[in-house]
């Protein structure tokens, strides 16, 4: 699911009008700042949103440009005090209405997402059950069914209607888990404002609450502990969204394994630049999960855990020796990264080769991106629209490559 609000603010550009896209995280920051009475230190925002101070500073730059350019208010900054959102009630209501227009689309998905969740967790639903549980008329349900079939089909799941049995789904375990993850993303986005209203913020703590609710009370504390333990031992940090993704999929792995619903992994596409890093570090995570949850994970589930690590973005390494180990496990990818940087440098006429931060970041992004491509895992970059608007030449160069 897209992780950005399509906020319909018009931006003039050479006589044309374009939409300004505001990401979920930027909206979380706006909501948080609006709730505060005075100036807020950037470190406080970082703690609530659960990302680094540097990331918050970058997001505040984008927010300031958007708010001031559209004359919706001002983001005021004071040294040693922090930032404050200065926006009058009329402009705040305008911004909220724009968000509610986007939420109204999600509101149309309300019945759809509830039926999808019930079918995924129960396997079948009779027409009468749907009418009774969701207060929906027969005609509205029948109109919705083609959309439900399309949604399930996107994950390789068959939705069919059988006489006397109602609506049923047929699926493989891997397809079921990926459908659950994407449904969670869809429902998570709709629940963000509710978390603020409940005083729980929109950072990872709020996400954990949503996951526990989604998985019907499963105790996720052990999952969280072992992810952080893995990061600390190997000297790296997963990116924010990757952490949530790992948290959800690892929880699902334990829940389903307890029910003997084991996964059969699809055969990934062969790739010259695939590496061994995830396979090498998965053992420590598997042992910890087996010990903490008192469960024996079969080889197929261990392969699923390796897949989870593979597709999860590593944001950075704090331990450079560990970074070198990771690169040694992906030598072909290192060579590919170097060639790609050289090619992009020539296209944009800027020498990017000496930029170590850029080269390391590109390597880490490619590691997980290629893994997702091999397994046909689709993701949406929430910043894509902003990149196209602010850096069209760079985007065109990368697209050409």
């Amino acid at each position: 699911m897209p992780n950005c609000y399509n906020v319909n603010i018009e931006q003039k550009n050479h006589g044309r009008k374009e939409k300004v896209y505001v990401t979920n995280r930027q909206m979380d920051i706006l909501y948080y700042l609006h709730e505060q009475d005075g100036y807020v230190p950037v470190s406080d925002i970082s703690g609530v949103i659960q990302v680094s101070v540097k990331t918050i500073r970058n997001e505040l730059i984008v927010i300031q440009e958007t708010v001031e350019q559209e004359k919706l208010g001002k983001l005021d900054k004071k040294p040693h005090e922090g930032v404050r959102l200065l926006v009058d009630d009329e402009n705040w209501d305008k911004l909220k209405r724009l968000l509610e227009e986007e939420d109204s689309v999600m509101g149309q998905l309300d019945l759809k997402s509830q039926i999808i969740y019930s079918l995924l967790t129960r396997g079948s639903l009779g027409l009468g059950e749907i009418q009774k549980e969701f207060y929906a008329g027969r005609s509205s349900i029948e109109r919705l069914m083609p959309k439900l079939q399309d949604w399930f089909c996107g994950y390789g799941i068959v939705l069919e209607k059988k006489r006397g049995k109602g609506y049923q789904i047929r699926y493989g375990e891997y397809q079921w888990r990926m459908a659950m993850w994407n449904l969670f993303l869809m429902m998570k986005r709709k629940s963000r404002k509710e978390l603020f209203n409940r005083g729980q913020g929109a950072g990872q703590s709020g996400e954990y609450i949503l996951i526990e609710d989604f998985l019907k009370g499963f105790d996720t504390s052990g999952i969280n502990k072992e992810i952080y333990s893995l990061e600390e031992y190997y000297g790296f940090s997963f990116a924010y969204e990757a952490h949530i993704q790992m948290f959800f999929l690892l929880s699902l792995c334990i829940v389903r394994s307890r029910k003997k619903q084991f996964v059969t992994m699809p055969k990934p596409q062969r790739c010259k630049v695939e590496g061994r890093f995830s396979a090498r570090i998965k053992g420590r995570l598997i042992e910890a999960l087996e010990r903490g949850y008192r469960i024996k994970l079969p080889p197929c589930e261990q392969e699923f855990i390796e897949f989870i690590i593979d597709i999860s973005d590593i944001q950075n390494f704090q331990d450079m020796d560990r970074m070198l180990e990771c690169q040694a496990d992906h030598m072909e990818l290192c060579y590919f990264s170097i060639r790609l940087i050289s090619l992009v440098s020539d296209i944009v006429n800027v020498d990017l080769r000496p930029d170590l931060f850029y080269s390391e970041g590109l390597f880490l992004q490619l590691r997980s991106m290629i893994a997702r491509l091999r397994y046909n895992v689709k993701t949406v970059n929430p910043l894509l629209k902003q990149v196209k608007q602010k850096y069209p030449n760079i985007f065109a160069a990368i697209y050409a490559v």
Side-chain angles (χ1 to χ4, degrees):
M1 283 301 282
N3 268 340
C4 67
Y5 292 95
N6 180 352
V7 180
N8 190 22
I9 303 172
E10 292 180 332
Q11 179 181 13
K12 294 181 180 178
N13 184 13
H14 303 293
R16 300 189 308 272
K17 290 184 177 180
E18 297 179 356
K19 292 179 179 178
V20 175
Y21 289 82
V22 181
T23 66
N24 282 342
R25 185 160 61 202
Q26 289 160 8
M27 283 312 309
D28 289 343
I29 295 171
L30 279 169
Y31 274 113
Y32 177 69
L33 288 175
H34 186 258
E35 293 293 322
Q36 310 309 308
D37 294 327
Y39 290 88
V40 184
V42 174
S43 58
D44 288 3
I45 306 174
S46 171
V48 170
I49 306 299
Q50 291 289 299
V51 294
S52 69
V53 169
K54 180 180 178 181
T55 299
I56 294 297
R57 292 189 192 280
N58 291 336
E59 297 287 35
L60 289 173
I61 292 171
V62 177
I63 290 171
Q64 183 173 18
E65 289 177 354
T66 302
V67 171
E68 293 183 4
Q69 179 178 321
E70 302 305 322
K71 297 182 174 57
L72 293 174
K74 180 181 179 183
L75 199 62
D76 194 36
K77 301 176 183 178
K78 279 191 177 181
H80 311 299
E81 290 191 45
V83 296
R84 182 180 184 183
L85 180 63
L86 301 176
V87 56
D88 59 34
D89 292 341
E90 181 181 352
N91 281 326
W92 179 250
D93 288 341
K94 178 182 177 182
L95 183 56
K96 284 205 300 182
R97 282 197 301 273
L98 292 169
L99 293 177
E100 286 165 4
E101 288 175 10
E102 178 70 8
D103 279 348
S104 68
V105 177
M106 294 301 293
Q108 294 173 19
L109 294 177
D110 219 13
L111 175 61
K112 176 182 170 182
S113 60
Q114 289 183 54
I115 294 175
I116 289 172
Y117 181 75
S118 294
L119 281 168
L120 285 171
T121 53
R122 290 153 63 175
S124 64
L125 278 175
L127 179 61
E129 290 178 293
I130 299 174
Q131 290 177 299
K132 182 177 179 181
E133 293 182 27
F134 306 117
Y135 304 101
R138 183 188 185 100
S139 60
S140 62
I141 295 170
E142 290 178 346
R143 286 196 303 269
L144 188 58
M145 281 304 146
K147 296 180 181 179
L148 293 175
Q149 287 176 324
D150 289 344
W151 191 91
F152 280 114
C153 183
Y155 301 100
I157 298 174
V158 177
L159 172 63
E160 54 191 4
K161 184 178 181 181
K162 290 194 172 182
R163 183 180 296 274
K165 295 184 179 180
Y167 297 97
Q168 296 182 329
I169 54 173
R170 291 188 287 109
Y171 54 86
E173 181 64 20
Y174 171 80
Q175 288 73 23
W176 184 90
R177 294 186 190 188
M178 299 312 293
M180 284 287 281
W181 163 242
N182 282 278
L183 177 63
F184 171 75
L185 287 179
M186 188 167 71
M187 298 176 73
K188 173 172 77 82
R189 180 179 170 197
K190 185 173 175 59
S191 302
R192 282 175 176 264
K193 286 197 296 184
E194 296 174 10
L195 287 173
F196 272 106
N197 294 336
R198 288 159 60 182
Q200 294 162 339
Q204 287 180 342
S205 59
E207 312 281 12
Y208 298 155
I209 293 168
L210 284 176
I211 290 174
E212 290 190 351
D213 289 346
F214 198 82
L215 298 180
K216 300 182 178 180
F218 172 69
D219 180 11
T220 60
S221 58
I223 302 289
N224 195 30
K225 174 186 173 184
E226 299 312 332
I227 293 175
Y228 280 116
S229 176
L230 187 72
E231 290 177 313
E232 183 178 6
Y233 184 82
Y234 286 101
F236 65 77
S237 298
F238 287 110
Y240 171 78
E241 293 294 342
H243 200 287
I244 300 301
Q245 177 182 260
M246 283 197 73
F247 190 84
F248 183 91
L249 292 176
L250 287 174
S251 298
L252 210 55
C253 172
I254 300 299
V255 169
R256 299 295 281 180
S257 294
R258 283 176 169 175
K259 296 180 178 180
K260 308 298 183 186
Q261 299 290 338
F262 298 123
V263 71
T264 299
M265 293 296 296
K267 188 174 181 180
Q269 301 176 38
R270 295 293 300 170
C271 179
K272 187 177 179 180
V273 296
E274 61 186 270
R276 305 185 308 273
F277 182 71
S278 299
R280 186 161 60 81
I281 72 172
K282 71 176 182 180
R284 184 178 181 86
L285 179 59
I286 290 168
E287 289 176 9
L289 292 174
E290 288 181 332
R291 183 172 59 252
Y293 286 96
R294 298 180 181 179
I295 189 173
K296 184 65 177 176
L297 295 170
C300 59
E301 293 299 332
Q302 296 184 21
E303 186 181 355
F304 183 68
I305 290 175
E306 181 180 341
F307 155 78
I308 296 171
I309 299 172
D310 240 354
I311 65 171
S312 299
D313 293 327
I314 295 176
Q315 183 167 294
N316 56 57
F317 273 83
Q318 294 83 41
D319 187 328
M320 292 313 300
D321 289 336
R322 294 293 195 182
M323 176 69 176
L324 293 173
E325 290 177 9
C326 180
Q327 290 175 330
D329 284 335
H330 293 268
M331 287 305 299
E332 288 295 334
L333 182 57
C334 285
Y335 298 142
F336 176 73
S337 300
I338 293 169
R339 292 195 297 271
L340 182 59
I341 291 171
S342 295
L343 183 56
V344 173
S345 295
D346 293 339
I347 292 175
V348 300
N349 199 28
V350 176
D351 189 5
L352 300 170
R353 298 170 186 87
D355 192 333
L356 187 61
F357 177 80
Y358 173 70
S359 62
E360 290 177 352
L362 178 63
F363 166 80
L364 292 174
Q365 284 291 312
L366 289 173
R367 182 197 73 88
S368 50
M369 183 190 73
I370 290 171
R372 290 192 291 269
L373 288 172
R374 293 179 63 218
Y375 284 96
N376 196 29
V377 176
K378 298 176 181 178
T379 58
V380 176
N381 182 357
L383 300 177
L384 180 59
K385 298 296 183 181
Q386 291 180 357
V387 171
K388 287 182 177 180
Q389 288 175 349
K390 292 183 177 293
Y391 311 104
N393 294 336
I394 299 294
F395 176 81
I398 298 300
Y399 189 80
V401 171

